[in-house]
Amino acid sequence: MNHKSIFDNNDSGHKMLYAVVGFFIIPLILYVLYLLVRLNQWNFFPLILGLIFQGKRLYGTWRPLIENFVIALGGTFFVFIMIHKASLKVEHEIFFITYAFLLCFILAFLVKFKKNRILIIPQLTEGVTLLHSIAIIYWLVDFSRVYIYAKIIYVFFFIIILFTLFSIINAFTKSPLSKTNRFLLSLWSSLVMILLALDYIISIFKNGEISDALSFQEGVFVFVQYFLLGISAIYIAQNINMILGFLPDKGERIFQTSRRRKVLKKDHIERFSENQVSVWYSLFCLVFSASLFWFNYEFQIISRQSVIWIVFVSFPILIYCFEYFRIKLISSPYKSV
């Protein structure tokens, strides 16, 4: 589907609306940026870059992304007024503004879900679910190093192993992707992504400011972590409604809940590609991700949350580059006969 066609209706009216909103929003943006720079609160900028990077990949066009930013800024301004009345220090106000903006951006995504489900729902393949399964196994193994005596871990291990084996079988065999299989794999992927994204967001609260870094390398590392935070926020926004949508709404009738669940189940099935992934791609996914996870597990170079999201971001880029050069090589007039 052409994304632009969805948003290009009443183009002149939209331009006028954007001009009016921009007239009021731009001064607010400049004021917030001034405060952030003056107080050396640089974490906000890689966060924004992460949101833009993943949001652009999702939408394919700038307009809905700008709309989300406007909604988020409006909500952030309201939060700023509320906490300013609480007589907090300016440094604390800026801290809350950063995470208020993140929350408002996610809520804006959920509002968009009601209007343009096709754009918001993330597409999945066997390779993606395999990557998610490997990541959650690593997360649980690394987590168990600290909480080894928690019995609940063994319950999670059992469930995760079952779904991981299920995703491996689908990735490495030609077993047909029935509607039931696609629904289960899609549901599993959403649960994993919400868990990993929430865990990453919680872990980021322990980090300091980029300006407080003792070295250039440490500053770069904090920058990357907040960039990944923006990406993880997009993943939460994409997947949270795919799970919470199955819960009944307050005051909703039974037939309404049933109908909404049928639509959501259909979304899960249709977002999962029926095209089976090459076994070589699945093998590369397994070797690439497992190698990085094992290396970090052994030497504890960075946190488990960081290495997981680095793999999530880097693996699709590697596949894209490989496909790009492979197609270039095949279409080259100078290739050998």
Side-chain angles (χ1 to χ4, degrees):
M1 178 179 291
N2 186 355
H3 292 179
K4 292 185 178 181
S5 62
I6 299 177
F7 298 100
D8 282 343
N9 296 329
N10 301 322
D11 192 59
S12 59
H14 284 167
K15 288 181 179 179
M16 180 64 68
L17 176 62
Y18 291 142
V20 173
V21 172
F23 179 80
F24 293 99
I25 291 295
I26 290 177
L28 173 63
I29 296 175
L30 294 176
Y31 176 68
V32 171
L33 292 179
Y34 165 74
L35 286 178
L36 291 168
V37 173
R38 186 169 65 87
L39 297 171
N40 288 326
Q41 302 289 323
W42 298 101
N43 295 350
F44 191 82
F45 297 99
L47 171 65
I48 294 295
L49 290 177
L51 290 171
I52 292 174
F53 173 80
Q54 188 64 19
K56 185 63 168 63
R57 285 183 58 194
L58 171 67
Y59 285 129
T61 181
W62 287 105
R63 180 170 294 177
L65 189 60
I66 294 173
E67 290 174 356
N68 277 14
F69 272 106
V70 170
I71 295 173
L73 283 169
T76 304
F77 183 67
F78 175 77
V79 172
F80 174 78
I81 294 175
M82 297 300 294
I83 62 177
H84 189 69
K85 291 181 179 179
S87 301
L88 297 176
K89 292 182 179 180
V90 179
E91 291 85 355
H92 294 161
E93 291 180 358
I94 297 298
F95 174 84
F96 282 114
I97 284 176
T98 301
Y99 289 97
F101 177 84
L102 188 66
L103 176 61
C104 291
F105 195 91
I106 293 175
L107 292 176
F109 247 88
L110 298 181
V111 171
K112 287 284 185 183
F113 185 85
K114 302 296 183 181
K115 294 176 58 180
N116 302 294
R117 302 169 71 90
I118 294 177
L119 288 182
I120 304 303
I121 299 174
Q123 301 302 301
L124 292 177
T125 64
E126 293 173 326
V128 173
T129 53
L130 176 63
L131 181 62
H132 294 171
S133 298
I134 298 169
I136 195 63
I137 286 180
Y138 163 70
W139 181 89
L140 195 57
V141 169
D142 192 75
F143 180 84
S144 64
R145 297 180 73 166
V146 181
Y147 303 96
I148 192 171
Y149 297 108
K151 294 182 180 180
I152 191 66
I153 289 177
Y154 298 105
V155 177
F156 282 124
F157 257 125
F158 179 73
I159 296 173
I160 287 173
I161 290 298
L162 284 180
F163 274 98
T164 300
L165 289 175
F166 183 54
S167 63
I168 288 175
I169 290 172
N170 280 275
F172 285 95
T173 66
K174 295 296 182 181
S175 57
L177 285 169
S178 64
K179 289 185 178 181
T180 301
N181 286 0
R182 282 183 282 157
F183 171 69
L184 291 175
L185 288 170
S186 174
L187 193 66
W188 166 245
S189 178
S190 291
L191 287 170
V192 169
M193 293 309 297
I194 291 174
L195 172 62
L196 295 179
L198 284 175
D199 181 56
Y200 186 73
I201 290 176
I202 293 171
S203 70
I204 287 295
F205 280 101
K206 303 175 184 178
N207 290 340
E209 287 289 328
I210 295 177
S211 57
D212 297 333
L214 300 177
S215 64
F216 174 77
Q217 292 83 350
E218 185 180 345
V220 171
F221 179 66
V222 175
F223 181 94
V224 171
Q225 285 190 308
Y226 276 88
F227 176 79
L228 295 175
L229 175 62
I231 293 177
S232 66
I234 296 290
Y235 276 99
I236 285 184
Q238 288 177 296
N239 288 282
I240 194 169
N241 207 67
M242 302 296 290
I243 299 298
L244 297 183
F246 286 105
L247 301 177
D249 286 341
K250 185 177 180 180
E252 189 177 46
R253 296 183 178 180
I254 296 178
F255 77 91
Q256 293 175 321
T257 303
S258 177
R259 183 172 58 186
R260 181 167 50 79
R261 287 173 178 172
K262 286 182 180 179
V263 173
L264 189 56
K265 183 177 180 180
K266 183 181 178 182
D267 288 338
H268 275 284
I269 294 172
E270 291 183 347
R271 76 163 178 162
F272 203 99
S273 175
E274 295 185 68
N275 298 324
Q276 295 188 310
V277 177
S278 167
V279 174
W280 292 108
Y281 281 174
S282 298
L283 184 61
F284 175 63
C285 172
L286 179 63
V287 172
F288 174 77
S289 57
S291 299
L292 288 180
F293 292 151
W294 173 84
F295 188 81
N296 195 66
Y297 178 82
E298 284 292 321
F299 300 101
Q300 295 294 301
I301 299 174
I302 56 179
S303 67
R304 63 175 175 271
Q305 295 91 348
S306 296
V307 71
I308 285 173
W309 284 96
I310 288 174
V311 169
F312 282 169
V313 173
S314 61
F315 182 74
I317 294 175
L318 287 176
I319 293 297
Y320 174 82
C321 292
F322 175 79
E323 282 294 314
Y324 176 81
F325 287 111
R326 186 180 69 86
I327 294 174
K328 281 287 186 181
L329 183 62
I330 292 175
S331 61
S332 174
Y334 303 104
K335 65 179 181 179
S336 58
V337 179

